[in-house]
């Protein structure tokens, strides 16, 4: 009986494998992974002038971070001008102010407050659409060398004048 139990797996294997060991085997399968890609189609829009004449805004007052006696930081001037611009946009219902001109003042009797007035042409973005061939031709005429550096060209050209004793 013991011999039958020991030999039974060998007999069972021999019965299943009557053909012997494979000499050659071929298998084929196909695998497909979905391609994941994002395509960004350029959008373009028009500017609608809310006013075709220059509009004055302000003056708006802002508390200075430090007393003026410690000096006025250029970053602080840019910050309050940006806040004034944002208020002007809200007031006029505009998305932007074209050609904004700023007057920034600190008075000697109140060196902890900065006053900002600005003027410009309020405008809104309208007619959002996919870039068309007609739009592309216009861009090529306006920017014959490309537009990749146009934004960088406009950086860093903030001119401020300070007149001591201005009132």
């Amino acid at each position: 009986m013991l011999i039958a139990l020991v030999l039974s797996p060998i007999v069972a294997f021999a019965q299943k494998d009557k053909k012997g060991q494979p000499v050659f085997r071929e298998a084929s399968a196909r695998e497909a992974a979905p391609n994941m890609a994002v395509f960004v189609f350029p959008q373009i829009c028009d500017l609608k002038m809310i006013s075709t004449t220059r509009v004055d805004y302000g003056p708006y007052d802002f508390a200075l971070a430090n007393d003026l006696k410690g000096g006025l930081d250029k970053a602080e001037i840019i910050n309050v001008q940006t806040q004034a611009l944002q208020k002007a946009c809200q007031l006029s219902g505009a998305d932007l102010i074209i050609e904004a001109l700023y007057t920034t003042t600190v008075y000697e009797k109140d060196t902890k407050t900065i006053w900002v007035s600005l003027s410009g042409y309020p405008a809104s973005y309208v007619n959002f659409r996919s870039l068309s061939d007609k739009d592309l031709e216009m861009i090529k005429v306006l920017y014959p060398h490309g537009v990749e550096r146009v934004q960088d060209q406009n950086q860093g050209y903030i001119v401020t004048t300070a007149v001591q004793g201005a009132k």
Side-chain angles (χ1 to χ4, degrees), residues 5 25 45 52 105 109 123 134 139 144 159-160:
L5 288 176
R25 178 179 287 159
C45 66
T52 57
T105 310
K109 292 184 180 182
K134 182 180 173 185
I139 289 170
V159 178
T160 59

Side-chain angles (χ1 to χ4, degrees), residues 8 11 25 33 36 53 56 85-86 98-99 101 105 114 119 124 129 131 143 154 162-163:
S8 65
V11 173
R25 178 179 287 159
M36 301 296 284
T53 58
D56 294 321
L85 180 63
Q86 189 261 346
I98 299 172
E99 293 295 324
L101 299 174
T105 310
I114 188 166
S119 67
S124 292
R129 63 193 180 277
L131 188 65
Y143 305 103
N154 294 325
V163 178

Side-chain angles (χ1 to χ4, degrees), residues 3-151:
I3 295 174
L5 288 176
V6 172
L7 293 178
S8 65
I10 296 171
V11 173
F13 178 74
Q15 289 174 352
K16 288 183 183 177
D17 195 30
K18 290 181 181 178
K19 297 178 185 173
Q21 294 295 322
V23 177
F24 173 80
R25 178 179 287 159
E26 179 184 12
S28 66
R30 297 197 186 271
E31 178 182 28
N35 289 333
M36 301 296 284
V38 175
F39 296 98
V40 178
F41 293 97
Q43 294 287 303
I44 193 167
C45 66
D46 299 322
L47 279 178
K48 177 183 176 191
M49 301 284 290
I50 294 172
S51 174
T52 57
T53 58
R54 186 170 285 278
V55 178
D56 294 321
Y57 300 96
Y60 303 110
D61 62 305
F62 303 96
L64 286 170
N66 297 313
D67 193 290
L68 185 61
K69 294 172 187 167
L72 195 55
D73 187 319
K74 187 173 183 174
E76 190 167 16
I77 292 173
I78 292 170
N79 182 37
V80 295
Q81 287 178 342
T82 302
Q83 289 179 57
L85 180 63
Q86 189 261 346
K87 285 184 176 191
C89 285
Q90 282 182 334
L91 181 69
S92 63
D95 293 317
L96 70 153
I97 306 292
I98 299 172
E99 293 295 324
L101 299 174
Y102 298 92
T103 302
T104 306
T105 310
V106 177
Y107 294 99
E108 66 183 350
K109 292 184 180 182
D110 185 7
T111 58
K112 292 186 179 187
T113 304
I114 188 166
W115 294 85
V116 180
S117 297
L118 66 121
S119 67
Y121 302 91
S124 292
Y125 296 114
V126 296
N127 193 22
F128 287 87
R129 63 193 180 277
S130 293
L131 188 65
S132 69
D133 290 338
K134 182 180 173 185
D135 296 322
L136 191 57
E137 287 304 315
M138 177 193 63
I139 289 170
K140 287 179 183 177
V141 170
L142 292 174
Y143 305 103
H145 303 294
V147 294
E148 59 192 38
R149 293 189 163 233
V150 171
Q151 189 71 21

